[in-house]
Amino acid sequence: MKARRVRIALIALATLLGLPLAAGSAVAAEEPQPQIMTVLDASGSMKERDAGGQSRLAAAKSAVTGLLDDVPEGTALGLRVYGATYPGEDTGSGCRDTQLLSPVAKMDDTARQKAKSEVRGIKAVGMTPIGSSLKTAAKDLGDSGPRRIILVSDGEDTCAPPTACDVARDLKGAGIDLTVDTVGFKVGAKARAELRCIAKATGGEYVDAGDADELGDELAGSVKRALTPYAVSGTKVHGAESCESAPVLEPGQYQDAMEYRQSHWYKVRVRPGQALRFSSAVIPDGPYENASYVRARLHLPGESRPFADEQQMESFWANVISTGVVTDRMTWGQMPDKKASTLVCAQVVNDVQAAAKKHPVELSVGVEGQAVGPDGKPATDAGAEAGKSTPDTSASDARNAGASSDSLMRPLPIAAAVLGGLLLAALIRPAVTRRRTP
């Protein structure tokens, strides 16, 4: 029933916004389900009580339990632990001390409870065999489709050689579709360097965490990136710093890049009787702050106040932050100087804070509806003007023009990714950070 409610809501919202749920979209595409394995450190150092007033292990258990509670239904997730059974100093035994607590399984109530029960029983006693744990975790994930390991450690590998980074390089070099994200939990410089190396070797991300809340956020972020890999597409365009110098965009899909707290401007030609759909999505290059948002504003020429303004905060369980504006049909009264068309100014504000200096931005532009004349009747020249420039079109139009209006009928990855993320957040489970809010 839950999956059916999500699908119904997707269809309803897509219909409202005029966005197709086509077979190639991020929501409807039958792409391989990513297999995710969380590898948790249970070495002796995890008994240290410096993680927000509790032991590192207790904080890690809390974070992993929260992740199990909150990941979307059907997420293929497993759990492996190392250093949890052998308390001695023999490297032969200590470096083989890695156990599969929970095989990769699609999360439902039964799978969640079973995995949480295993987490509760973990004890921190042993060594830190990161390299051998990576090898076995890669086998746990099978031999096909996208795979991701989320490795949490509070120290460096104590079982080299081979070094954990060499193991990661070997796994990637074998052609395995595998990404390893690493989380340094209260680590020093040497361990941080090793974990960074592991992540870099496999195209993953490294992040630091200091307590249960931070660790929970980073685990959720890694799962999010696994569930919603996203490749930016569309005609390249460069937004301007003001409306006056902004490029004019035809209906279609575009890609730009923006820095944190930067605004870009674009223009779209609209005629009386027509409505404008404009959406923008920022695809963070790695982990980002929970307070991040994207804003889209529409301005009529000469007007300082926007007539449409929408903002979207972080989409939990989707690594895309997007917002969109759908206007009413424009009227002749809104046309400056009673002209037969006007250039609406579209502003995108990027407030996505992450390590990367710039983030890819994807834009979708749609103009819908029959243009009308002053008498309200269909304009006879609508078809002729729809595909050609007018005298006040800027010189950048030719460089930045996208596909024709027919491109509106193609799948819109922005819409699919955003709708999927929002609905997973709203209909499936509360977000990790929301669950922890007092």
Side-chain angles (χ1 to χ4, degrees):
M1 282 297 293
K2 189 173 290 184
R4 183 170 179 269
R5 288 199 304 271
V6 171
R7 180 61 182 167
I8 290 172
L10 279 171
I11 294 171
L13 192 52
T15 301
L16 175 65
L17 296 177
L19 303 173
L21 280 172
S25 73
V27 171
E30 293 185 2
E31 296 180 354
Q33 168 81 2
Q35 308 290 300
I36 306 169
M37 178 62 67
T38 299
V39 179
L40 183 63
D41 186 348
S43 60
S45 57
M46 290 289 283
K47 290 184 286 189
E48 294 287 336
R49 299 187 63 84
D50 59 357
Q54 58 185 331
S55 72
R56 297 177 185 180
L57 182 62
K61 286 183 178 182
S62 175
V64 172
T65 298
L67 178 70
L68 291 167
D69 278 335
D70 294 332
V71 291
E73 197 92 355
T75 302
L77 185 67
L79 177 64
R80 175 171 283 278
V81 67
Y82 59 81
T85 63
Y86 178 70
E89 298 182 0
D90 177 60
T91 55
S93 299
C95 293
R96 291 192 299 270
D97 185 7
T98 175
Q99 295 82 38
L100 180 64
L101 295 187
S102 178
V104 175
K106 292 187 176 181
M107 287 292 102
D108 57 21
D109 288 341
T110 300
R112 293 178 205 276
Q113 294 307 317
K114 184 176 184 300
K116 286 161 63 176
S117 176
E118 295 290 348
V119 170
R120 286 193 292 269
I122 297 174
K123 295 181 180 180
V125 297
M127 297 182 182
T128 312
I130 295 177
S132 60
S133 296
L134 288 176
K135 287 181 182 179
T136 50
K139 294 178 182 178
D140 296 335
L141 292 170
D143 56 6
S144 63
R147 283 151 282 176
R148 185 174 297 251
I149 294 172
I150 307 171
L151 170 66
V152 179
S153 180
D154 76 338
E156 65 268 23
D157 193 332
T158 56
C159 293
T163 67
C165 194
D166 283 340
V167 171
R169 292 191 186 101
D170 289 344
L171 290 172
K172 197 66 177 179
I176 300 173
D177 185 4
L178 173 67
T179 300
V180 182
D181 286 341
T182 55
V183 182
F185 194 39
K186 307 290 292 186
V187 295
K190 187 175 180 181
R192 182 178 291 109
E194 181 176 68
L195 294 171
R196 285 187 188 278
C197 183
I198 293 169
K200 184 178 180 180
T202 60
E205 300 285 345
Y206 170 80
V207 291
D208 283 298
D211 57 27
D213 284 358
E214 290 181 2
L215 181 55
D217 287 342
E218 303 307 345
L219 290 175
S222 183
V223 173
K224 181 189 306 181
R225 293 191 294 276
L227 294 179
T228 56
Y230 199 90
V232 181
S233 62
T235 303
K236 288 187 176 181
V237 65
H238 299 288
E241 294 184 0
S242 68
C243 176
E244 290 72 22
S245 57
V248 178
L249 305 183
E250 298 291 337
Q253 191 159 299
Y254 300 84
Q255 56 177 302
D256 200 346
M258 294 174 63
E259 296 180 8
Y260 171 52
R261 290 191 172 170
Q262 187 174 29
S263 293
H264 276 185
W265 290 83
Y266 315 87
K267 289 186 283 196
V268 182
R269 184 169 296 284
V270 184
R271 303 187 67 195
Q274 295 180 328
L276 171 62
R277 282 195 294 109
F278 183 87
S279 61
S280 58
V282 174
I283 299 87
D285 186 10
Y288 58 91
E289 296 296 326
N290 289 342
S292 296
Y293 69 85
V294 176
R295 193 167 203 155
R297 295 184 175 120
L298 299 181
H299 295 253
L300 287 170
E303 297 288 339
S304 59
R305 294 176 62 87
F307 71 94
D309 188 347
E310 294 291 340
Q311 175 177 305
Q312 174 61 49
M313 299 296 287
E314 173 190 18
S315 292
F316 298 101
W317 306 117
N319 200 44
V320 178
I321 308 176
S322 177
T323 191
V325 181
V326 182
T327 72
D328 295 329
R329 294 180 186 273
M330 305 292 286
T331 67
W332 273 88
Q334 293 174 291
M335 298 293 113
D337 301 323
K338 304 301 181 184
K339 290 184 178 179
S341 67
T342 188
L343 289 169
V344 174
C345 298
Q347 180 191 24
V348 176
V349 181
N350 172 32
D351 203 77
V352 178
Q353 186 175 5
K357 186 176 181 181
K358 279 192 174 184
H359 303 294
V361 177
E362 196 168 276
L363 309 169
S364 180
V365 178
V367 176
E368 300 175 332
Q370 172 68 59
V372 298
D375 57 1
K377 295 181 180 180
T380 56
D381 62 340
E385 288 199 15
K388 70 179 183 180
S389 299
T390 53
D392 55 348
T393 298
S394 71
S396 60
D397 287 4
R399 295 193 303 271
N400 294 323
S404 69
S405 298
D406 292 340
S407 66
L408 244 52
M409 302 309 295
R410 298 179 306 181
L412 295 181
I414 291 176
V418 175
L419 292 174
L422 290 174
L423 285 157
L424 284 171
L427 298 179
I428 296 177
R429 298 230 171 225
V432 171
T433 47
R434 256 183 265 164
R435 178 184 58 79
R436 288 195 300 268
T437 302

